[in-house]
Amino acid sequence: MVLSAAGQHLLRVSRPGAWGQHLLRVSRPGAWGHHLLRVSRPGAWGQHLLRGIGSVSTTAKGFQEKEIREKLQAFPGGSIDLVKQESGIAVLTVNNPARMNAFSGSMMVELEERVSQLEEWTEGKGLIVQGAAGTFCSGSDLNVVRDISNPQDGMKMCMFMQNVLTRLLRLPLLSVALVEGSALGGGAELTTACDFRLMVPGGMIRFVHKHMGLVPGWGGAARLVRIVGSQNALKMLGGALKVDPEMGLQIGLADGVLEGSLDGSGANALLEAEQWLGCYTTGPASVIRAIKNVVVSGRELPLEVALRTERDVFGTVWGGPANLQALASKAKHK
Ligand SMILES: CCC(=O)SCCNC(=O)CCNC(=O)[C@H](O)C(C)(C)COP(=O)(O)OP(=O)(O)OC[C@H]1O[C@@H](n2cnc3c(N)ncnc32)[C@H](O)[C@@H]1OP(=O)(O)O
């Protein structure tokens, strides 16, 4: 795969240790300008991003990814279930209730497979990520964590999950994390890999990493800063704060609070989340997916590249069936 200059730049900074060097490099006067100039083929990176990134790390692909997968498969348990619905909204369920939906190694691999399936789902418009049996996800399975506590294995798992969650967030689907019960550690990180978070009363998002002698490694800190700002992120990580629905709304982590289960089955919360999401996914898939794509490029790419990508995406809907139908119906927007 040939990457544009911007793509190569992003991949380069994703190598452990390279970011520090990058910071030093861009801190020289004019270096950032050079970077912008190096982004000489903006369309290529934008297209690459919109096609769905295979990997955010140079070394998480190829035989090394195979090695990581094999390692993770050695820790079985639970499942990641995917239901694609006629409505264009899919439901992804983290399913390991005996361990409060903690991620076993095989579940990490399954998550990658489900994300691949969603990348191929061209009719899709929305995605709800939930936990089974009334709770969201308690992060990594601590039994796995203990068994791979050496730095090499930890780094491999971290790269694998960073890659998967980055691809999850970049899907051309409007995604919602439905937080019922607790989202702890990696579970909290998973909520930030969705576009929106809906919380049920009694629900909690908590980055407990500090209490585990860790920091987030699945990309959760980088995404959290973009969602709530660095001040709030510092408080959440530094204090391992319990973010309940009220605080979630206050700091912009939660996008809504649902009524929740009537019978403890989680069915009502899911219905409510589908209704909430339906407000944003009503319409043709081509348009909804284009909306997500322009927002992803605006969020992730340098302005010049994002503008070029926006033009490319615009070209996919201009004069398209939905556009022509709207023109023919002389739609008024009162
Ligand atoms: C990426 C970095 C990470 O994610 S590090 C992992 C961060 N997560 C944690 O440390 C969660 C630790 N667990 C807890 O704090 C509690 O179990 C929570 C989730 C609050 C639930 O408490 P409570 O309702 O009292 O249930 P419980 O403790 O009896 O748990 C039920 C069974 O589930 C298990 N469980 C829970 N979390 C995990 C986990 N992350 N990994 C493995 N097992 C987990 C508990 O051990 C318990 O199992 P058992 O019934 O004792 O066999």
Side-chain angles (χ1 to χ4, degrees), residues 7-328:
Q8 285 166 16
H9 169 74
L10 286 181
L11 291 180
R12 203 170 41 246
V13 299
S14 68
R15 273 187 292 117
W19 180 235
Q21 288 163 23
H22 170 72
L23 273 183
L24 290 178
R25 200 150 31 83
V26 298
S27 68
R28 277 186 288 114
W32 180 238
H34 290 321
H35 164 68
L36 278 181
L37 292 177
R38 268 207 322 266
V39 181
S40 53
R41 290 176 42 240
W45 174 238
Q47 280 163 25
H48 176 63
L49 189 131
L50 298 180
R51 265 202 316 273
I53 304 279
S55 170
V56 286
S57 168
T58 43
T59 48
K61 264 287 171 201
F63 78 96
Q64 291 202 13
E65 181 173 323
K66 188 165 169 267
E67 182 197 318
I68 297 167
R69 291 172 78 93
E70 277 170 9
K71 182 109 206 169
L72 291 172
Q73 292 281 23
F75 302 97
S79 62
I80 302 291
D81 308 328
L82 178 64
V83 178
K84 293 182 209 155
Q85 305 181 126
E86 285 283 310
S87 62
I89 295 180
V91 180
L92 187 83
T93 305
V94 181
N95 189 357
N96 192 7
R99 294 186 173 172
M100 307 299 279
N101 300 327
F103 267 93
S104 66
S106 62
M107 286 167 72
M108 293 179 193
V109 173
E110 268 189 46
L111 181 64
E112 194 277 331
E113 290 164 0
R114 300 291 171 258
V115 169
S116 293
Q117 288 166 5
L118 288 167
E119 284 168 347
E120 303 297 320
W121 188 37
T122 49
E123 298 86 38
K125 299 192 278 183
L127 174 69
I128 296 173
V129 178
Q130 65 169 7
T135 194
F136 190 75
C137 169
S138 63
S140 300
D141 184 328
L142 292 170
N143 304 297
V144 181
V145 172
R146 274 178 214 110
D147 277 13
I148 62 165
S149 60
N150 66 79
Q152 293 80 12
D153 285 344
M155 190 54 65
K156 287 175 187 168
M157 185 268 284
C158 159
M159 283 160 58
F160 185 86
M161 287 302 284
Q162 255 190 25
N163 187 10
V164 176
L165 294 187
T166 301
R167 286 169 54 199
L168 176 64
L169 185 56
R170 287 176 181 168
L171 286 170
L173 309 169
L174 304 192
S175 56
V176 169
L178 168 52
V179 183
E180 208 175 15
S182 301
L184 300 179
E189 296 194 61
L190 175 61
T191 71
T192 64
C194 294
D195 298 309
F196 306 106
R197 282 143 295 281
L198 294 177
M199 297 183 74
V200 170
M204 171 177 67
I205 300 177
R206 189 174 185 198
F207 288 77
V208 295
H209 302 73
K210 179 184 140 180
H211 291 166
M212 303 297 295
L214 293 172
V215 293
W218 296 359
R223 291 187 296 268
L224 185 66
V225 168
R226 283 161 175 76
I227 296 166
V228 300
S230 59
Q231 301 300 105
N232 285 322
L234 278 173
K235 289 178 194 163
M236 283 179 65
L237 298 181
L241 295 188
K242 291 181 186 176
V243 178
D244 62 13
E246 192 188 349
M247 190 194 290
L249 283 178
Q250 210 180 346
I251 63 177
L253 185 61
D255 296 278
V257 179
L258 305 177
E259 280 180 19
S261 298
L262 297 177
D263 57 0
S265 68
N268 196 53
L270 182 57
L271 256 175
E272 282 182 89
E274 283 180 332
Q275 275 167 10
W276 188 92
L277 187 55
C279 296
Y280 304 101
T281 56
T282 304
S286 56
V287 178
I288 307 302
R289 293 165 72 87
I291 287 168
K292 174 68 183 275
N293 283 337
V294 291
V295 171
V296 169
S297 67
R299 184 167 60 199
E300 297 199 20
L301 299 173
L303 182 61
E304 186 193 348
V305 195
L307 291 174
R308 175 66 182 270
T309 305
E310 188 172 310
R311 291 200 294 272
D312 291 346
V313 177
F314 176 79
T316 68
V317 287
W318 177 262
N323 180 222
L324 294 179
Q325 201 183 350
L327 290 172

